[in-house]
mmCIF file of all heavy atoms in Angstrom:
data_model
loop_
_atom_site.group_PDB
_atom_site.id
_atom_site.type_symbol
_atom_site.label_atom_id
_atom_site.label_comp_id
_atom_site.label_asym_id
_atom_site.label_seq_id
_atom_site.Cartn_x
_atom_site.Cartn_y
_atom_site.Cartn_z
ATOM 1 N N ARG A 317 3.232 36.778 -0.682
ATOM 2 C CA ARG A 317 2.465 36.878 0.415
ATOM 3 C C ARG A 317 1.223 35.832 0.404
ATOM 4 O O ARG A 317 0.015 36.210 0.842
ATOM 5 C CB ARG A 317 1.895 38.436 0.471
ATOM 6 C CG ARG A 317 2.920 39.408 0.789
ATOM 7 C CD ARG A 317 3.206 39.416 2.184
ATOM 8 N NE ARG A 317 4.316 40.337 2.589
ATOM 9 C CZ ARG A 317 4.640 40.701 3.668
ATOM 10 N NH1 ARG A 317 4.074 40.244 4.793
ATOM 11 N NH2 ARG A 317 5.717 41.464 3.971
ATOM 12 N N ALA A 318 1.487 34.779 -0.253
ATOM 13 C CA ALA A 318 0.448 33.736 -0.321
ATOM 14 C C ALA A 318 0.064 33.269 1.087
ATOM 15 O O ALA A 318 -1.136 32.865 1.235
ATOM 16 C CB ALA A 318 0.968 32.570 -1.016
ATOM 17 N N ASN A 319 0.848 33.424 2.137
ATOM 18 C CA ASN A 319 0.370 33.082 3.548
ATOM 19 C C ASN A 319 -0.663 34.020 4.090
ATOM 20 O O ASN A 319 -1.343 33.664 5.005
ATOM 21 C CB ASN A 319 1.644 33.077 4.452
ATOM 22 C CG ASN A 319 2.145 34.611 4.504
ATOM 23 O OD1 ASN A 319 2.649 35.177 3.553
ATOM 24 N ND2 ASN A 319 2.229 35.183 5.675
ATOM 25 N N GLU A 320 -0.921 35.120 3.335
ATOM 26 C CA GLU A 320 -2.096 35.924 3.767
ATOM 27 C C GLU A 320 -3.202 35.904 2.812
ATOM 28 O O GLU A 320 -4.115 36.742 2.852
ATOM 29 C CB GLU A 320 -1.587 37.462 3.823
ATOM 30 C CG GLU A 320 -0.386 37.768 4.667
ATOM 31 C CD GLU A 320 0.137 39.101 4.700
ATOM 32 O OE1 GLU A 320 -0.427 39.911 3.846
ATOM 33 O OE2 GLU A 320 1.121 39.390 5.457
ATOM 34 N N SER A 321 -3.332 34.896 2.004
ATOM 35 C CA SER A 321 -4.308 34.834 0.829
ATOM 36 C C SER A 321 -5.116 33.696 0.903
ATOM 37 O O SER A 321 -5.018 32.715 1.765
ATOM 38 C CB SER A 321 -3.475 34.807 -0.400
ATOM 39 O OG SER A 321 -2.938 33.474 -0.632
ATOM 40 N N PRO A 322 -6.107 33.616 0.104
ATOM 41 C CA PRO A 322 -7.048 32.332 0.083
ATOM 42 C C PRO A 322 -6.320 31.094 -0.449
ATOM 43 O O PRO A 322 -6.719 30.025 -0.049
ATOM 44 C CB PRO A 322 -8.096 32.786 -0.999
ATOM 45 C CG PRO A 322 -8.277 34.289 -0.775
ATOM 46 C CD PRO A 322 -6.844 34.705 -0.566
ATOM 47 N N ILE A 323 -5.084 31.306 -1.054
ATOM 48 C CA ILE A 323 -4.340 30.081 -1.381
ATOM 49 C C ILE A 323 -3.808 29.441 -0.037
ATOM 50 O O ILE A 323 -3.950 28.078 0.077
ATOM 51 C CB ILE A 323 -3.085 30.547 -2.051
ATOM 52 C CG1 ILE A 323 -3.373 31.157 -3.392
ATOM 53 C CG2 ILE A 323 -2.135 29.373 -2.215
ATOM 54 C CD1 ILE A 323 -2.150 31.820 -4.184
ATOM 55 N N ASP A 324 -3.597 30.239 1.039
ATOM 56 C CA ASP A 324 -3.278 29.679 2.237
ATOM 57 C C ASP A 324 -4.286 28.975 2.974
ATOM 58 O O ASP A 324 -4.168 27.964 3.641
ATOM 59 C CB ASP A 324 -2.703 30.830 3.132
ATOM 60 C CG ASP A 324 -2.061 30.331 4.419
ATOM 61 O OD1 ASP A 324 -0.968 29.678 4.344
ATOM 62 O OD2 ASP A 324 -2.601 30.670 5.506
ATOM 63 N N ILE A 325 -5.555 29.591 2.890
ATOM 64 C CA ILE A 325 -6.732 28.973 3.368
ATOM 65 C C ILE A 325 -6.938 27.684 2.803
ATOM 66 O O ILE A 325 -7.249 26.657 3.476
ATOM 67 C CB ILE A 325 -7.912 29.925 3.303
ATOM 68 C CG1 ILE A 325 -7.753 31.199 4.179
ATOM 69 C CG2 ILE A 325 -9.223 29.222 3.544
ATOM 70 C CD1 ILE A 325 -8.821 32.313 3.794
ATOM 71 N N TRP A 326 -6.879 27.525 1.392
ATOM 72 C CA TRP A 326 -7.207 26.250 0.681
ATOM 73 C C TRP A 326 -6.088 25.291 1.122
ATOM 74 O O TRP A 326 -6.553 24.190 1.531
ATOM 75 C CB TRP A 326 -7.145 26.602 -0.716
ATOM 76 C CG TRP A 326 -7.347 25.288 -1.597
ATOM 77 C CD1 TRP A 326 -6.471 24.411 -2.047
ATOM 78 C CD2 TRP A 326 -8.631 25.007 -2.210
ATOM 79 N NE1 TRP A 326 -7.163 23.461 -2.760
ATOM 80 C CE2 TRP A 326 -8.362 23.836 -2.899
ATOM 81 C CE3 TRP A 326 -9.943 25.586 -2.149
ATOM 82 C CZ2 TRP A 326 -9.493 23.087 -3.719
ATOM 83 C CZ3 TRP A 326 -10.978 24.890 -2.852
ATOM 84 C CH2 TRP A 326 -10.629 23.689 -3.529
ATOM 85 N N ASN A 327 -4.866 25.615 1.137
ATOM 86 C CA ASN A 327 -3.869 24.653 1.392
ATOM 87 C C ASN A 327 -3.908 24.177 2.774
ATOM 88 O O ASN A 327 -3.851 22.986 3.009
ATOM 89 C CB ASN A 327 -2.486 25.246 1.021
ATOM 90 C CG ASN A 327 -2.203 25.372 -0.415
ATOM 91 O OD1 ASN A 327 -2.846 24.894 -1.246
ATOM 92 N ND2 ASN A 327 -1.201 26.273 -0.778
ATOM 93 N N ASN A 328 -3.989 25.044 3.771
ATOM 94 C CA ASN A 328 -3.885 24.626 5.067
ATOM 95 C C ASN A 328 -5.174 23.735 5.581
ATOM 96 O O ASN A 328 -5.115 22.831 6.306
ATOM 97 C CB ASN A 328 -3.685 25.846 6.037
ATOM 98 C CG ASN A 328 -2.234 26.359 6.202
ATOM 99 O OD1 ASN A 328 -1.347 25.670 6.036
ATOM 100 N ND2 ASN A 328 -2.244 27.639 6.084
ATOM 101 N N CYS A 329 -6.476 24.133 5.013
ATOM 102 C CA CYS A 329 -7.601 23.499 5.419
ATOM 103 C C CYS A 329 -7.428 22.052 4.954
ATOM 104 O O CYS A 329 -7.886 21.037 5.536
ATOM 105 C CB CYS A 329 -8.748 24.261 4.884
ATOM 106 S SG CYS A 329 -9.218 25.723 5.829
ATOM 107 N N TYR A 330 -6.967 21.800 3.623
ATOM 108 C CA TYR A 330 -7.004 20.470 3.102
ATOM 109 C C TYR A 330 -5.860 19.688 3.684
ATOM 110 O O TYR A 330 -6.007 18.514 3.800
ATOM 111 C CB TYR A 330 -7.035 20.596 1.505
ATOM 112 C CG TYR A 330 -8.409 20.713 0.949
ATOM 113 C CD1 TYR A 330 -8.771 21.814 0.119
ATOM 114 C CD2 TYR A 330 -9.308 19.839 1.313
ATOM 115 C CE1 TYR A 330 -10.119 22.032 -0.391
ATOM 116 C CE2 TYR A 330 -10.625 19.944 0.673
ATOM 117 C CZ TYR A 330 -10.909 21.030 -0.050
ATOM 118 O OH TYR A 330 -12.287 21.146 -0.571
ATOM 119 N N THR A 331 -4.866 20.346 3.984
ATOM 120 C CA THR A 331 -3.752 19.466 4.666
ATOM 121 C C THR A 331 -4.279 19.143 6.091
ATOM 122 O O THR A 331 -4.164 17.960 6.382
ATOM 123 C CB THR A 331 -2.495 20.303 4.754
ATOM 124 O OG1 THR A 331 -2.095 20.737 3.540
ATOM 125 C CG2 THR A 331 -1.343 19.529 5.405
ATOM 126 N N GLY A 332 -4.957 20.059 6.654
ATOM 127 C CA GLY A 332 -5.539 19.647 7.970
ATOM 128 C C GLY A 332 -6.654 18.510 7.826
ATOM 129 O O GLY A 332 -6.561 17.645 8.785
ATOM 130 N N ILE A 333 -7.342 18.523 6.879
ATOM 131 C CA ILE A 333 -8.394 17.553 6.705
ATOM 132 C C ILE A 333 -7.731 16.171 6.344
ATOM 133 O O ILE A 333 -8.053 15.174 6.936
ATOM 134 C CB ILE A 333 -9.295 17.977 5.483
ATOM 135 C CG1 ILE A 333 -10.259 19.130 5.867
ATOM 136 C CG2 ILE A 333 -10.182 16.746 4.975
ATOM 137 C CD1 ILE A 333 -10.914 19.774 4.791
ATOM 138 N N GLU A 334 -6.595 16.296 5.489
ATOM 139 C CA GLU A 334 -5.918 15.020 5.146
ATOM 140 C C GLU A 334 -5.309 14.502 6.468
ATOM 141 O O GLU A 334 -5.444 13.191 6.647
ATOM 142 C CB GLU A 334 -4.875 15.366 4.140
ATOM 143 C CG GLU A 334 -3.918 14.051 3.820
ATOM 144 C CD GLU A 334 -4.680 13.066 3.048
ATOM 145 O OE1 GLU A 334 -5.805 13.126 2.702
ATOM 146 O OE2 GLU A 334 -4.081 11.970 2.812
ATOM 147 N N ASN A 335 -4.785 15.217 7.309
ATOM 148 C CA ASN A 335 -4.138 14.696 8.541
ATOM 149 C C ASN A 335 -5.223 14.207 9.518
ATOM 150 O O ASN A 335 -4.857 13.153 10.184
ATOM 151 C CB ASN A 335 -3.221 15.798 9.187
ATOM 152 C CG ASN A 335 -2.015 16.174 8.480
ATOM 153 O OD1 ASN A 335 -1.667 15.540 7.280
ATOM 154 N ND2 ASN A 335 -1.435 17.247 8.605
ATOM 155 N N ALA A 336 -6.273 14.843 9.559
ATOM 156 C CA ALA A 336 -7.333 14.311 10.364
ATOM 157 C C ALA A 336 -7.831 12.968 9.935
ATOM 158 O O ALA A 336 -8.305 12.080 10.698
ATOM 159 C CB ALA A 336 -8.478 15.397 10.492
ATOM 160 N N ASN A 337 -8.030 12.852 8.631
ATOM 161 C CA ASN A 337 -8.425 11.542 8.059
ATOM 162 C C ASN A 337 -7.616 10.419 8.440
ATOM 163 O O ASN A 337 -8.083 9.428 8.759
ATOM 164 C CB ASN A 337 -8.504 11.800 6.550
ATOM 165 C CG ASN A 337 -9.766 12.537 5.959
ATOM 166 O OD1 ASN A 337 -10.742 12.668 6.748
ATOM 167 N ND2 ASN A 337 -9.741 13.017 4.828
ATOM 168 N N TRP A 338 -6.322 10.755 8.552
ATOM 169 C CA TRP A 338 -5.398 9.522 8.877
ATOM 170 C C TRP A 338 -5.560 9.316 10.345
ATOM 171 O O TRP A 338 -5.579 8.097 10.824
ATOM 172 C CB TRP A 338 -3.995 9.949 8.688
ATOM 173 C CG TRP A 338 -3.525 9.767 7.265
ATOM 174 C CD1 TRP A 338 -3.374 10.685 6.277
ATOM 175 C CD2 TRP A 338 -3.303 8.421 6.622
ATOM 176 N NE1 TRP A 338 -3.084 10.056 5.023
ATOM 177 C CE2 TRP A 338 -2.933 8.718 5.327
ATOM 178 C CE3 TRP A 338 -3.220 7.189 7.021
ATOM 179 C CZ2 TRP A 338 -2.641 7.705 4.318
ATOM 180 C CZ3 TRP A 338 -2.899 6.229 6.249
ATOM 181 C CH2 TRP A 338 -2.601 6.479 4.923
ATOM 182 N N VAL A 339 -5.895 10.278 11.182
ATOM 183 C CA VAL A 339 -6.165 10.022 12.689
ATOM 184 C C VAL A 339 -7.339 9.178 12.653
ATOM 185 O O VAL A 339 -7.318 8.217 13.544
ATOM 186 C CB VAL A 339 -6.250 11.387 13.427
ATOM 187 C CG1 VAL A 339 -6.743 11.144 14.824
ATOM 188 C CG2 VAL A 339 -4.982 12.081 13.330
ATOM 189 N N LEU A 340 -8.350 9.562 12.108
ATOM 190 C CA LEU A 340 -9.588 8.879 12.213
ATOM 191 C C LEU A 340 -9.619 7.459 11.573
ATOM 192 O O LEU A 340 -10.284 6.518 12.107
ATOM 193 C CB LEU A 340 -10.689 9.629 11.498
ATOM 194 C CG LEU A 340 -11.070 10.947 12.059
ATOM 195 C CD1 LEU A 340 -12.005 11.775 11.210
ATOM 196 C CD2 LEU A 340 -11.703 10.741 13.522
ATOM 197 N N LEU A 341 -8.644 7.153 10.639
ATOM 198 C CA LEU A 341 -8.435 5.865 10.105
ATOM 199 C C LEU A 341 -7.706 4.954 11.064
ATOM 200 O O LEU A 341 -8.057 3.856 11.201
ATOM 201 C CB LEU A 341 -7.717 6.101 8.655
ATOM 202 C CG LEU A 341 -7.380 4.664 8.057
ATOM 203 C CD1 LEU A 341 -8.654 3.865 7.649
ATOM 204 C CD2 LEU A 341 -6.463 5.066 6.803
ATOM 205 N N LYS A 342 -6.644 5.518 11.663
ATOM 206 C CA LYS A 342 -5.663 4.672 12.357
ATOM 207 C C LYS A 342 -5.765 4.634 13.827
ATOM 208 O O LYS A 342 -5.573 3.708 14.428
ATOM 209 C CB LYS A 342 -4.220 5.172 11.922
ATOM 210 C CG LYS A 342 -3.769 5.041 10.560
ATOM 211 C CD LYS A 342 -3.565 3.562 10.137
ATOM 212 C CE LYS A 342 -2.840 3.372 8.975
ATOM 213 N NZ LYS A 342 -2.594 2.030 8.571
ATOM 214 N N VAL A 343 -6.193 5.708 14.398
ATOM 215 C CA VAL A 343 -6.247 5.716 15.889
ATOM 216 C C VAL A 343 -7.243 4.698 16.520
ATOM 217 O O VAL A 343 -6.811 4.091 17.635
ATOM 218 C CB VAL A 343 -6.537 7.203 16.358
ATOM 219 C CG1 VAL A 343 -6.965 7.111 17.875
ATOM 220 C CG2 VAL A 343 -5.283 8.078 16.203
ATOM 221 N N PRO A 344 -8.271 4.413 15.940
ATOM 222 C CA PRO A 344 -9.173 3.374 16.488
ATOM 223 C C PRO A 344 -8.528 2.034 16.704
ATOM 224 O O PRO A 344 -8.881 1.256 17.785
ATOM 225 C CB PRO A 344 -10.378 3.266 15.552
ATOM 226 C CG PRO A 344 -10.447 4.625 14.931
ATOM 227 C CD PRO A 344 -9.027 4.983 14.793
ATOM 228 N N ASN A 345 -7.481 1.706 16.014
ATOM 229 C CA ASN A 345 -6.800 0.488 16.150
ATOM 230 C C ASN A 345 -5.440 0.640 16.951
ATOM 231 O O ASN A 345 -4.651 -0.261 17.075
ATOM 232 C CB ASN A 345 -6.488 -0.150 14.838
ATOM 233 C CG ASN A 345 -7.741 -0.621 14.134
ATOM 234 O OD1 ASN A 345 -8.675 -1.057 14.859
ATOM 235 N ND2 ASN A 345 -7.836 -0.406 12.881
ATOM 236 N N THR A 346 -5.288 1.901 17.355
ATOM 237 C CA THR A 346 -3.964 2.134 18.174
ATOM 238 C C THR A 346 -4.143 1.614 19.604
ATOM 239 O O THR A 346 -5.216 1.924 20.272
ATOM 240 C CB THR A 346 -3.541 3.593 18.137
ATOM 241 O OG1 THR A 346 -3.505 4.006 16.820
ATOM 242 C CG2 THR A 346 -2.291 3.948 19.002
ATOM 243 N N LYS A 347 -3.164 1.058 20.205
ATOM 244 C CA LYS A 347 -3.232 0.484 21.481
ATOM 245 C C LYS A 347 -2.925 1.625 22.539
ATOM 246 O O LYS A 347 -1.764 2.307 22.430
ATOM 247 C CB LYS A 347 -2.253 -0.567 21.789
ATOM 248 C CG LYS A 347 -2.525 -1.851 20.921
ATOM 249 C CD LYS A 347 -1.518 -2.962 21.227
ATOM 250 C CE LYS A 347 -1.712 -4.210 20.366
ATOM 251 N NZ LYS A 347 -0.750 -5.240 20.556
ATOM 252 N N MET A 348 -3.922 2.034 23.245
ATOM 253 C CA MET A 348 -3.782 3.090 24.188
ATOM 254 C C MET A 348 -4.400 2.590 25.576
ATOM 255 O O MET A 348 -5.599 2.187 25.602
ATOM 256 C CB MET A 348 -4.434 4.376 23.782
ATOM 257 C CG MET A 348 -3.776 5.035 22.653
ATOM 258 S SD MET A 348 -4.643 6.593 22.014
ATOM 259 C CE MET A 348 -4.269 7.629 23.506
ATOM 260 N N SER A 349 -3.591 2.872 26.743
ATOM 261 C CA SER A 349 -4.233 2.489 27.980
ATOM 262 C C SER A 349 -5.277 3.341 28.547
ATOM 263 O O SER A 349 -6.152 3.044 29.245
ATOM 264 C CB SER A 349 -3.022 2.313 28.990
ATOM 265 O OG SER A 349 -2.502 3.602 29.171
ATOM 266 N N ASN A 350 -5.164 4.670 28.053
ATOM 267 C CA ASN A 350 -6.083 5.667 28.425
ATOM 268 C C ASN A 350 -7.112 5.798 27.403
ATOM 269 O O ASN A 350 -7.035 6.546 26.463
ATOM 270 C CB ASN A 350 -5.403 7.073 28.552
ATOM 271 C CG ASN A 350 -6.322 8.054 29.235
ATOM 272 O OD1 ASN A 350 -7.473 8.022 29.161
ATOM 273 N ND2 ASN A 350 -5.667 9.185 29.833
ATOM 274 N N GLU A 351 -8.323 5.052 27.623
ATOM 275 C CA GLU A 351 -9.364 5.103 26.658
ATOM 276 C C GLU A 351 -10.156 6.350 26.571
ATOM 277 O O GLU A 351 -10.593 6.777 25.505
ATOM 278 C CB GLU A 351 -10.316 3.908 26.954
ATOM 279 C CG GLU A 351 -9.798 2.481 26.716
ATOM 280 C CD GLU A 351 -9.492 2.377 25.171
ATOM 281 O OE1 GLU A 351 -10.314 2.870 24.363
ATOM 282 O OE2 GLU A 351 -8.582 1.682 24.933
ATOM 283 N N ALA A 352 -10.166 7.064 27.700
ATOM 284 C CA ALA A 352 -10.829 8.452 27.596
ATOM 285 C C ALA A 352 -10.023 9.432 26.635
ATOM 286 O O ALA A 352 -10.627 10.125 25.944
ATOM 287 C CB ALA A 352 -10.909 8.932 29.162
#
Side-chain angles (χ1 to χ4, degrees):
R317 294 284 174 167
N319 62 297
E320 299 177 355
S321 77
I323 298 172
D324 189 66
I325 292 173
W326 182 275
N327 289 347
N328 284 322
C329 285
Y330 275 117
T331 304
I333 290 168
E334 174 71 7
N335 294 347
N337 285 340
W338 280 101
V339 172
L340 294 171
L341 175 66
K342 293 289 190 176
V343 166
N345 295 320
T346 298
K347 295 179 181 179
M348 295 180 63
S349 60
N350 188 338
E351 286 298 322

